[in-house]
Amino acid sequence: MTASSATETAAWTSAAAILFDLDGVLTPTAAVHEQAWQELFEGYLASEPQAAAYSESDYFDHIDGKPRFDGVRDFLASRGIVLPEGPLDDDPGNLTVQGLGNKKNRIFNDIVSSGVEPFDGSVRFLQAALERGLKVAVVSSSRNAPAVLAAAGLDHHFPVVVDGAVAAEEGLPGKPSPATYQYAAQLLGLPSEECVVVEDAVSGVKAGQAGSFHSVIGVDRGAGRQTLLDAGATLVVNDLQELLP
């Protein structure tokens, strides 16, 4: 093992728990979220011809890693658009923040209904962590986390899942606040200092950096290695398998 790889391995083997983001870390559903957001906003902006068209960078600049309705608000704000909030269960056909968010959720669920294949390297890393006796949890902004974990066949590994629904119930601010990760550590019965955060989104890395965590491992699925390092990642890999000794 090289000195560099030994350092990367120590970034997680000396911890007591791994707190995984879901979409883009364990499963390739980040790409599905990106597709769903694009479909949502391209359709919406068709009725707002004065606003700039949706671009690929919009996902990473305004949406990636955030709670769903925050993503709606922040994207609309980037276009100078303000919509009524609407009720939480607003109809997906209504032009409100909640309506657009619920429409995005419907698009996402339609896409993943056929099943989800997790990243092979992430599954191997998860298995290695469990074999070492580390505790694990999932911390996701998505309210679909339990369904995605079940579709990927990973739900039985995670007794603790802090998703968007849990955050709303507990009154926890979403990423880039560290609150949801800190709550997961609390549920595992561990101090944050003994938990590793694993993230692919800038907002999630910032959440990890803002808390007193053991380390923050960035997984570059498109955000960019240097961007994740600048956001506070301890180290960045392209695949979690790179961290195995």
Side-chain angles (χ1 to χ4, degrees):
M1 184 184 298
T2 66
S4 175
S5 61
T7 299
E8 292 181 353
T9 300
W12 67 274
T13 55
S14 57
I18 310 289
L19 310 180
F20 294 89
D21 177 45
L22 176 60
D23 302 308
V25 170
L26 292 173
T27 62
T29 38
V32 180
H33 280 289
E34 187 173 359
Q35 179 183 343
W37 282 112
Q38 180 177 352
E39 183 175 331
L40 171 73
F41 284 126
E42 284 183 344
Y44 169 74
L45 290 175
S47 64
E48 298 283 348
Q50 77 283 1
Y54 185 88
S55 67
E56 183 178 343
S57 64
D58 281 319
Y59 179 73
F60 294 105
D61 290 344
H62 308 299
I63 300 167
D64 187 27
K66 298 177 182 178
R68 187 194 318 157
F69 301 115
D70 287 350
V72 173
R73 294 186 196 96
D74 289 352
F75 174 81
L76 293 175
S78 75
R79 300 305 196 268
I81 298 172
V82 177
L83 291 178
E85 279 292 310
L88 187 62
D89 61 349
D90 208 352
D91 187 279
N94 290 340
L95 294 181
T96 64
V97 169
Q98 307 291 337
L100 288 177
N102 292 335
K103 184 174 182 179
K104 180 266 172 182
N105 191 51
R106 185 174 66 185
I107 296 169
F108 175 85
N109 284 324
D110 286 345
I111 297 171
V112 302
S113 61
S114 59
V116 176
E117 188 69 28
F119 290 112
D120 183 62
S122 297
V123 173
R124 293 185 182 186
F125 177 76
L126 169 62
Q127 291 171 338
L130 293 171
E131 288 171 3
R132 284 180 172 269
L134 275 67
K135 296 182 178 181
V136 296
V138 163
V139 181
S140 172
S141 297
S142 173
R143 292 170 180 256
N144 299 309
V148 171
L149 283 169
L154 298 176
D155 53 318
H156 62 288
H157 291 303
F158 294 100
V160 170
V161 177
V162 179
D163 67 351
V166 172
E169 290 169 3
E170 298 296 328
L172 303 173
K175 305 169 187 179
S177 166
T180 50
Y181 276 112
Q182 291 167 337
Y183 186 60
Q186 178 185 331
L187 292 178
L188 290 176
L190 293 169
S192 298
E193 291 82 358
E194 294 183 17
C195 300
V196 176
V197 168
V198 185
E199 268 283 355
D200 71 310
V202 170
S203 60
V205 168
K206 287 182 176 179
Q209 195 275 335
S212 300
F213 294 98
H214 177 280
S215 57
V216 182
I217 298 173
V219 184
D220 183 11
R221 306 288 193 195
R225 180 179 183 277
Q226 192 58 51
T227 298
L228 295 175
L229 289 172
D230 291 344
T234 308
L235 60 94
V236 176
V237 296
N238 294 317
D239 190 288
L240 288 176
Q241 187 170 313
E242 297 171 29
L243 297 172
L244 299 180

